[in-house]
Amino acid sequence: MTLHNPALQAIMDKVIARNPGEPEFHQAVSEVLTSLEPVVERRPEFITRGVIEELVEPERIIKFRVPWVDDAGNVQVNRGFRVQFNSAIGPYKGGLRFHPSVYEGIIKFLGFEQIFKNSLTGLPIGGGKGGSDFDPKGKSDAEVMRFCQSFMTELCRHIGADVDVPAGDIGVGAREIGYLFGQYKRIRNEYTGVLTGKGLTYGGSLARKEATGYGLCYISDEMLRDQGDSFEGKTVVISGSGNVAIYACEKATSLGATVVALSDSNGYIYDPKGIDLAAVKKIKEVERKRIKEYLVYRPDATYTEGCSGIWSIPCDIALPCATQNEISEESAKLLVSNGVKAVAEGANMPSTPGAIQAFQSAGVLFGPAKAANAGGVATSALEMSQNSMRLSWTFEEVDEKLHGIMRNIYHNAAKAASDYGMAGNLVAGANIAGFLKVGESMLAYGVC
Ligand code: NDP
């Protein structure tokens, strides 16, 4: 896509030239720069004083070797990353992803998006992201522990409660956070809130596990209510069956909707009577098995190999909660022709640019990831606050704060969109509202 502002286009060209072979990062930057066109028209100093050019360059990239020994006694070597993208409004904050597809470009795209998402929460957190090409799937607990300990042995030099606070993401859940925190504590001899998503017995926050999925439904509900609608009686399709998908399913169901499908990277289940979430939690959270196992609990449901077919199921609301670029333009058009009314992104960048275009031009309510899945990081920031105060809030207190934050995010993004002449476009609104706080802070710091 060509940008109208030549200075923004020059920055985009430089991003592509400097970061070759990183299409996900280019895609994320291009979307934000497109949204910022009307902002720099009104506030050219964001260009002339170098803010945008600094914004697209990470403050620091750490890349390291992660050697570990598997159960057969063989040495395995993975690659670890931490991208400390922007600390203008607080310590770097963002998850760790363990998945074979991880490379520098994925971590950069996620770290870049995190800047705006974290700003949108209204809390003092900068943007960062990390991970490894390690695949926890099929590994024993002992192997996962040895990998996590080796990963943290290097990472611990670069993070800290007031410096950089990682959390979970794909492939990094409660088990991995436990191993990572234990190793940090052991090497650094300090007990601080250096990671979020911790277990409840060692500094974790109630409602953190549920936060991304619940937050996704809270903001979707607010978006629907603004149009005089709600989740009540709606049919919902959710992709993925991990942390975000499971708790989105739980909250959507409690708001009166029927969730009829979930997936994993092998295939999807369709259960028109409504997903039996207790069965899914057992399969995914306890047994760590494939979603196909669902048929053992619900023989009347169907299982189909391949994940993209999930978008052919007719629904009122679609919540992509698996991974980036999982909804193609074709899938989006299929959803539209099957009558979808609202789409909100639980995963990061799950819709391709063509898919977003298809939703927006059909008038589908569209909640972009930066706004829609910000509940996870917002609650992580609440975990940091509790750790600093050495206090714990109740589930209800955290959940209520989360609900308020998600409502604010929706209204701030909607207002920014309308202030800049793009009423109803939450993609632009979230990018603009997220950027302004970071951009103003960067202006205040001068060139640095
Ligand atoms: P989990 O690892 O708990 O679950 C990921 C789910 O997505 C699994 O069902 C997995 O299937 C599926 N999946 C992963 N990669 C692919 C792929 N390449 N193709 C198809 N399916 C895939 O991760 P989370 O639920 O934590 O994260 C899901 C998404 O939400 C990610 O985009 C993440 O960045 C985003 N997110 C997460 C937050 C959090 O708090 N956890 C916060 C904000 C965003 P399988 O098991 O087969 O791999």
Side-chain angles (χ1 to χ4, degrees), residues 97 137 169-171 208 212 241-244 265 290 322 347-348:
R97 175 176 291 190
K137 239 179 274 157
D169 189 76
I170 291 178
R208 173 60 188 91
T212 310
S241 49
N243 173 263
V244 181
S265 53
R290 312 307 299 156
N348 283 309

Side-chain angles (χ1 to χ4, degrees), residues 97 99 110 117 129 137 168-172 208 212 240-245 263-266 284 290 307 321-324 346-348 373 376-377:
R97 175 176 291 190
H99 193 271
L110 290 164
K117 180 189 309 189
K129 198 82 188 189
K137 239 179 274 157
D169 189 76
I170 291 178
V172 179
R208 173 60 188 91
T212 310
S241 49
N243 173 263
V244 181
S263 64
D264 62 20
S265 53
N266 293 106
K284 287 292 174 180
R290 312 307 299 156
C307 25
C321 295
T323 195
Q324 63 274 356
N348 283 309
N373 71 25
V377 74

Side-chain angles (χ1 to χ4, degrees), residues 44 48 50 65 69 192 221 241 259 312 375 387 415:
T48 54
R65 179 172 76 196
V69 180
T192 53
D221 194 44
S241 49
V259 179
S312 65
N387 291 163
K415 181 172 182 309

